[in-house]
Amino acid sequence: MSVGLGLRADGRRLLIPYVMAGVVPDWLDLVRGVVEAGADAVEIGLPFSDPMLDGPTVQRASALSAGRGGRPGPLLDELAGLDLDVPLVVMTYANVAMTLAPERGVGGFVDHLAAVGVRGVIVPDLPLEESAEYRARAAEAGVDAVLLVAPACGDDRCREIARASSGFVYCMSSMQITGERADLAQTARETARRVKGMTELPVVTGFGISTVQHAVEACADADGIVIASVLMRMLVDGAPVAQVVEEVATFRRALSSVQHSPVGG
Amino acid sequence: MFTDEVTGVMRAPDAAGRFGRFGGRYLPEALVPAAEAVEVAFREAWADTAFTAEYRRLLATYVGRPTPLTECVRLSERLGVRVLLKREDLAHTGSHKINNVLGQALLARRMGKRKLIAETGAGQHGVATATAAALLGLACTVYMGHTDVRRQAVNVFRMELLGAEVVPVTSANGVGTLKEATNGALRAWVNETEHAHYCIGSTMGPHPYPWMVREFQRVIGDEARAQCAEVPDVVVACVGGGSNAAGTFAGFVDTPARLVGVEAAGGAAVDKGKLGVLHGFMSHFLQDEDSQVLEAHSISAGLDYPGVGPEHVHLAETGRVRYTSVTDEQALRALKLLTRTEGILPALESAHALAWVVDAAATGELAAGSTVLVTLSGRGDKDIQQIREHLG
């Protein structure tokens, strides 16, 4: 079953909060909490020493996890005990995906994901040309390989990515790394609109969704949003899990206001 | 196997940018179009005689090429082998880095970019990039680990004097060296692809950089080959990312010369690294069992990189080049020896290559009377503070 299957049909806008695995000792409570607050899926980050696409906040979250002894393999194992009714999507970098089980390469990684109940995976530095084996092995393991589209991608490339992606298509809102920003980039809605015309999969916008206003605005075109830095900033600044869960609930309430508007234009 | 059948030069990578198993383009989607644009522009420019003529003109009139080949008479007597130095330390800005940077700066201008982004460890590449930017009227931002900013303060000042902005890169779990500088530069490139060209300083990064940088540096090997009356028995170069070595080896790969790449013992990625992906390419990287990339440790900031260019790992795997490593102490001893016997203060990077020669001559690995060509990739002025701390 695909991560986002059926989510576009009723117009409900997808809310996908991001949680860096191990960022705080009670991070699993946070995962449970954001689901109770109305998340449709949860993106789980795995710490990596060199997160190329992440801004300072997610870098700090990654470093916090690593500093607490957070390691990708054991953190994945902790997910196995969760009994959630929404899918988990893991995000990490190619080096983790390809070397966590060196003898089995990327196949070992996606098998590990499947074994702990993870249903989707995002590896942003495995672009289309480098991702054939990864996508094939993920499909064999029953894990959706979600690919990213960037505003700079031409239409042909967007179409190819949308065709190769499974679960949903992840649109970068702008040509920028992750992080909070004052305004939603103009390219956010344009890119989502462009991609929606190319796929039946849900189109989810992320990167720089910093306020409920951004979320609502982005969801005028996208089927959903990912929120990451705003939540991770609260945690690394010391906010309790309950406060972060409440923030997610606020996003949920805001997105409910657009859930019945037409989807797909 | 290693050379193109028609031109007799080191081969281009395959269509996916791979040298054997290594290389490729492991980039976030936001950077794929930018890297593709660099590849297209480089292919066109390198086949355009107007571009290559302008490049060669600058190498001759601005860089001061050809750099000389120096026979080290007193050092040769001491070691019992004939030592020839390819003097990249005499190139403008004091190292081989300028060869590549001028090529990329011309390419950036051709692509209509207004700015160069660069990473730097020791500062040589940063200084070269700031220089080329000044020459061509481009803006320039150099990313540098916060530790390197401190230990290379004079080079930071040089870059700023040249009009560049130097951005110290600090990360919560890092030590502030070249790996983090590269992360900083890559993130900046994501944010600025429209108007900025990422001027990578070595034979690393996503395709086409390892190939393009080697092509811009092959002038070292081609010149040295023409300057040597006979093919040397051994050709030696230091290897961090591997650009001076790739450029040097390109001139000799089709000869019987033994080729030796010398890494820093604390950053010996070819031998001690494991297969992985970092900074857009697949190669060998120092990493732990949890897939986290480790910091390299070397007295030379320029060799403080946990990985190595993909072509080098391929050349090691196929056996054409032998890679070895030397310690900080060996490098310092060789530096002192060259300075005292020849009046040439080498960069700490280059001192690693020399250190292997000194030891190989002593152990008999280099037969008495054999001829060894060493690329002196840069001069040691930039390292004077570190050298003073260790030898003073």
Side-chain angles (χ1 to χ4, degrees), chain B residues 40-194:
Chain B
V40 169
F42 174 66
R43 284 184 188 280
E44 289 175 0
W46 212 224
D48 178 350
T49 52
F51 178 89
T52 53
E54 171 71 351
Y55 176 56
R56 286 200 197 94
R57 185 187 69 78
L58 282 177
L59 289 181
T61 62
Y62 189 73
V63 175
R65 303 207 72 90
T67 57
L69 196 71
T70 299
E71 176 148 12
C72 298
V73 177
R74 277 166 37 80
L75 181 66
S76 298
E77 278 175 14
R78 176 77 74 92
L79 299 180
V81 296
R82 183 173 174 235
V83 180
L84 304 172
L85 297 182
K86 178 57 176 165
R87 299 292 304 279
E88 294 303 295
D89 59 315
L90 294 179
H92 181 48
T93 71
S95 81
H96 73 293
K97 295 290 186 185
I98 193 73
N99 305 324
N100 162 50
V101 163
L102 276 179
Q104 288 201 49
L106 287 173
L107 192 68
R109 190 176 69 178
R110 184 183 168 103
M111 293 170 74
K113 304 293 184 184
R114 304 191 303 274
K115 177 178 179 179
L116 300 179
I117 293 170
E119 81 294 327
T120 198
Q124 285 175 310
H125 176 58
V127 167
T129 307
T131 300
L135 178 70
L136 297 185
L138 300 167
C140 180
T141 301
V142 179
Y143 292 83
M144 197 166 183
H146 63 91
T147 302
D148 288 338
V149 166
R150 194 182 65 245
R151 64 179 176 173
Q152 301 288 344
V154 173
N155 268 338
V156 171
F157 179 68
R158 281 176 76 189
M159 288 182 257
E160 290 173 344
L161 201 57
L162 286 157
E165 178 193 12
V166 179
V167 177
V169 181
T170 305
S171 70
N173 57 349
V175 297
T177 59
L178 183 55
K179 178 167 80 103
E180 284 159 77
T182 308
N183 288 335
L186 276 163
R187 290 181 190 124
W189 196 27
V190 173
N191 291 346
E192 301 184 74
T193 53
E194 200 173 322

Side-chain angles (χ1 to χ4, degrees), chain B residues 207-227:
Chain B
H207 178 56
Y209 283 95
W211 170 47
M212 177 171 69
V213 175
R214 180 249 277 169
E215 289 303 282
F216 285 137
Q217 293 291 7
R218 72 162 49 253
V219 65
I220 303 171
D222 288 346
E223 273 179 16
R225 177 75 190 276
Q227 289 165 323

